[in-house]
Amino acid sequence: MPVRRGSVSWLLVVVAVTAIAVFVALTIAVTGSSSLAFDSRAFEIGEDVRAPWLDTAARVVTTLGLIAIVGSAVLVGAAVVIKHHDRARAGAVVVGAALVWISVWIVKLVVDRPRPPDPLVHTSGQSYPSAHAANSVGWLALAIALTVVIPTRAGRIAAITCGALLAVFVGLSRIYLRAHYASDVLAGEALAVAMYALATIGAVAWQSRRESAIGGADSRLLP
């Protein structure tokens, strides 16, 4: 049974509202207290499992949250989707990535949270929210966008699962490497989910209006 566009739009609205609510709650918590219990607990867990091979793996995984890498992948993926005649889907992932980047840096400047002490990698700038974690959600958004070119259901599920795991692992790497607090990571990912959902809502609305305009033009051409 085909999925109705209206139901998809409502699902996106629910996702966006939920993600924004999580982000707002975290922002209130962070600005109201300099130390959160689950931030400290996350660092304690990191220390408990610390090992040289995990240090190396985390440093590799964390690079997958760099905007240069995620942004390049998003642009290439969008080009592939456009070739399959789905400009709305391609536009949603590109605009979403841009909104994520802009919103993250605005929030960083407003909240101005210091970085955790003793990081295991080079860090700079403000801590909240995590740009790496926010950028990494782009892998999930890209995987969803690319489902249009994947012929099998199993392949689409595998792609989305890989995209989600990349986002999770990048976020965990930032905590493990003490580059960010856990709240930074959760806020970054929540903000990114909201931005991608809003971009997709806009793309769906644009496509609906475009199809309506084309349908109206075609009807006027009929005798």
Side-chain angles (χ1 to χ4, degrees):
M1 181 181 294
V3 178
R4 297 179 61 183
R5 183 173 296 173
S7 63
V8 173
S9 298
W10 275 111
L11 176 60
L12 288 169
V13 169
V14 171
V15 169
V17 170
T18 302
I20 291 171
V22 171
F23 172 75
V24 170
L26 285 168
T27 303
I28 292 172
V30 166
T31 54
S33 174
S34 59
S35 178
L36 301 179
F38 76 94
D39 285 338
S40 299
R41 181 56 184 156
F43 283 151
E44 290 173 2
I45 294 173
E47 290 300 325
D48 290 342
V49 301
R50 192 166 307 287
W53 72 270
L54 268 178
D55 292 354
T56 301
R59 288 188 175 96
V60 172
V61 170
T62 206
T63 61
L64 296 176
L66 291 170
I67 187 60
I69 294 176
V70 180
S72 298
V74 164
L75 291 176
V76 171
V80 172
V81 173
I82 288 174
K83 285 187 177 181
H84 282 73
H85 311 291
D86 198 333
R87 293 184 179 180
R89 188 181 292 247
V93 72
V94 172
V95 172
L99 288 175
V100 169
W101 188 84
I102 293 169
S103 60
V104 162
W105 288 101
I106 289 174
V107 176
K108 278 181 176 289
L109 292 174
V110 172
V111 176
D112 196 24
R113 188 187 200 184
R115 293 272 184 168
D118 305 318
L120 301 182
V121 289
H122 172 72
T123 59
S124 62
Q126 301 87 353
S127 190
Y128 184 92
S130 168
H132 277 69
N135 293 335
S136 70
V137 176
W139 294 114
L140 174 58
L142 180 58
I144 294 172
L146 288 174
T147 56
V148 72
V149 306
I150 301 175
T152 65
R153 185 170 184 269
R156 292 191 289 271
I157 292 174
I160 292 173
T161 301
C162 288
L165 287 175
L166 278 176
V168 170
F169 288 145
V170 169
L172 290 176
S173 75
R174 301 307 286 170
I175 301 169
Y176 179 84
L177 295 170
R178 298 184 62 91
H180 283 285
Y181 296 101
S183 51
D184 299 337
V185 168
L186 292 175
E189 293 188 343
L191 181 59
V193 168
M195 293 301 104
Y196 278 110
L198 291 174
T200 306
I201 291 170
V204 170
W206 172 82
Q207 188 174 37
S208 296
R209 291 186 61 183
R210 183 170 178 270
E211 290 174 356
S212 297
I214 292 174
D218 288 343
S219 65
R220 289 194 293 272
L221 293 175
L222 295 175

